[in-house]
Amino acid sequence: SCRQLSSGQTNIDHIKRVGVIGSGQMGLGIAYVAANVTQLPVVLMDISKDQTDRGLAFMNKLLEKDVAKNKITADHANKVRELVSTTNSLQTLDQMDIVIEAASENLNIKSKIFSDLDQICKSDCILASNTSSISITKIGAATKRAENVIGMHFMNPVPVMKLVELIPGLATSPEIVDQTKALATAMGKTTTVVKDIPGFVANRLLMPYINEAVMLLESEFASAEDIDTTMKLGTNMPMGPLTLADFIGLDTCLSIMKVLHENTGDSKYRPSVLLQKYVDAGWVGKKAGRGIYTY
Ligand code: CAA
């Protein structure tokens, strides 16, 4: 059973194996950091071998870049490669001490995964979700152990961004918060704790800002370049809001705005009509080669 940790401790003795679900940008980044920084064995799960192979190929690129920059040795890179194994079956995650889910941002998909994990995982396994907008309380309700379910919200790109938002759901136990915090700290991240509200804190602030930038564009009050330059050079943002929107994905931005709008009923979160149009057109940002900008 779980050892109890008091707040602030960074002991991760109770976490010996990490499972990660989803080998996309976020899942791969989480697996990579867990193996590279924490040096824990990681099992990366996705539904097809194609997907996990793509994840491994991306991890190799990250490792080669770090070796080329003398950030890590070739030996260390090989150790990371050995630490990360892949699977296409959830069943393989039965011995994990924590499973971090980074699958599609869809309540039905996540509920199914968590209800399966509830059947498969050890009773003291932490069940964490990297959701950016779905209620942790809802995800927890898909299991019979909501006290072990927590939001662990990493930011993109995971290897670079220092923040992890921790979101306890209504039933989450304080021990699970402490243990998850210890792991995030061991991964080199700084944590914040946020209640289970729509958008948590990061997206509650960021998405209305991005949405407002798209509304300025929609009204033709300024060009996309001038909107971005204003925030980049005027407030030292690393990227302007429209470049950032393309980077995150306009589909993701729109879906989070809808969550804010629908769950609060507050008209101040109304998604921009132009944002919806771009998504309808399939112009969802950098990953599609076209969004606000063309790539
Ligand atoms: N994966 C891994 N590493 C990456 C990366 C990626 N996808 N993209 C960039 N990097 C690394 C680079 O390799 C580089 O590493 P080194 O220091 O070892 O050289 C470092 O990041 C800096 O990259 P660059 O020099 O190429 O470019 P930059 O200085 O312009 O930084 C950036 C790029 C870090 C992405 C920066 O532009 C930035 O911070 N942008 C804002 C990102 C942001 O706000 N993210 C949060 C999005 S919201 C979110 O994630 C929450 C949600 O739920 C939607």
Side-chain angles (χ1 to χ4, degrees), residues 62 65 69 71 132 153 156-157 160-161 203 206 239 244:
L62 293 178
K65 188 208 70 184
K69 286 188 172 170
K71 286 190 161 180
S132 52
H153 184 215
N156 188 16
V160 181
M161 307 307 278
N203 283 323
L206 182 62
M239 293 171 163
L244 181 58

Side-chain angles (χ1 to χ4, degrees), residues 155-156 202-218 224 227-228 231 237 239-257 260 268-276 278-279 284 292-293:
M155 311 293 285
N156 188 16
N203 283 323
R204 185 76 166 236
L205 290 170
L206 182 62
M207 291 305 161
Y209 155 70
I210 284 174
N211 193 51
E212 193 71 20
V214 181
M215 283 182 169
L216 288 174
L217 185 68
E218 183 180 325
I227 292 168
D228 275 353
M231 298 313 289
M237 297 292 190
M239 293 171 163
L242 300 172
T243 303
L244 181 58
D246 274 355
F247 174 77
I248 294 168
L250 301 185
D251 49 346
T252 302
C253 295
L254 177 64
S255 108
I256 298 173
M257 280 313 292
L260 294 183
K268 76 180 176 184
Y269 298 117
R270 177 179 69 77
S272 144
V273 172
L274 186 63
L275 184 59
Q276 177 75 62
Y278 273 88
V279 173
V284 294
I292 308 274
Y293 298 100

Side-chain angles (χ1 to χ4, degrees), residues 226-237:
D226 281 357
I227 292 168
D228 275 353
T229 300
T230 302
M231 298 313 289
K232 224 183 134 172
L233 302 186
T235 70
N236 273 4
M237 297 292 190

